[in-house]
Amino acid sequence: MSSLALVTGANRGIGLAIAKALKAAGHDVVVSYRSGEAPEGFKSVLMDVTSTQSVDAAFDSIEAQWGLPEIIVANAGITKDGLVMRMSDEDFQSVIDANLTGAFRVARRATKPLLKLKRGRLIFVGSVVGATGSAGQVNYASSKSGLVGMARSFAREIGSRGITSNVIAPGFVETDMTSTLDEKRRSEISASVPLGRFCTPDEIAAVVAFIASPQASYITGALIPVDGGLGMGH
Ligand code: NDP
């Protein structure tokens, strides 16, 4: 079944791969972007997930032009790594605001009309470090584990309306976000992953496309690892 899908932060990286996979699965896809250019071949809206006004305006624009997005992928996210002794309030809060509160702003606005429609898919992009923790990422890991409680609360609150809510938890993925790691760190990470390598954005996107599909209609409140075995199911 083809539905309208929205992917946030989809101008590059994992978000763009997800947009392409959902399109390949036959969905009509809107990508949201915050800066730069929207990728070609998609419907697009500007959205900064740190602003409620921006999120609400983007949804108003999508609904007016193309109808209700039924598949929502909250993908936009940032890192601001640093050791905790040097982590400022701003370093902590800005990551929570983008990754956790941002996903909340999107999911809250998306579900309003879906309650009446009685179907929908909320898909949050978390991280393996939300379960395992990560030195130098107290802010980021907190934001990603927060997504699990949030997704499961959505699942309980609106499951009776036919809306599923799940978290995909990638391990280390080849994108701009990990391109700053030096060779030594990359080798250490690869050595700690049972599959011995980083993930491609397409490998995350394929799982998101499955969760968005009718075949995944009875999966909700799940934390789905796509991490090469790094988190061993946690
Ligand atoms: P990238 O840094 O490549 O892309 C991040 C995307 O998020 C960009 O499109 C960026 O937009 C967007 N974004 C950031 N802040 C905002 C904001 N305030 N409003 C709207 N959009 C915003 O990251 P990845 O593709 O690697 O990551 C995508 C998701 O996957 C993130 O949630 C990340 O935490 C998660 N993840 C990534 C892993 C990895 O190893 N790469 C591992 C586990 C999880 P802009 O271009 O304007 O900056």
Side-chain angles (χ1 to χ4, degrees), residues 70-113:
E70 295 176 32
I71 298 165
I72 310 298
V73 186
N75 163 78
I78 57 168
T79 50
K80 231 176 235 185
D81 297 352
L83 296 176
V84 70
M85 291 309 155
R86 278 188 240 127
M87 189 173 284
S88 66
D89 283 10
E90 204 279 325
D91 292 338
F92 188 84
Q93 279 165 355
S94 59
V95 172
I96 299 290
D97 193 31
N99 298 4
L100 183 60
T101 318
F104 167 70
R105 291 182 183 101
V106 169
R108 176 182 58 186
R109 177 60 183 81
T111 45
K112 251 186 221 169

Side-chain angles (χ1 to χ4, degrees), residues 9 11-12 14 34-35 48-49 75 126 140 144 171 173 175 178:
N11 51 313
R12 59 195 173 100
I14 294 171
R34 171 184 64 161
S35 64
D48 182 339
V49 298
N75 163 78
Y140 182 76
K144 294 301 188 180
V173 187
T175 67
T178 50

Side-chain angles (χ1 to χ4, degrees), residues 17 38 55 66 69 74 78 81 107 127-128 143 152 162 195 200 213 216 218-219 233:
V55 170
W66 307 300
I78 57 168
D81 297 352
S127 167
V128 64
S143 74
R152 289 181 168 162
L195 288 181
T200 67
S213 75
Y218 204 58
I219 300 175

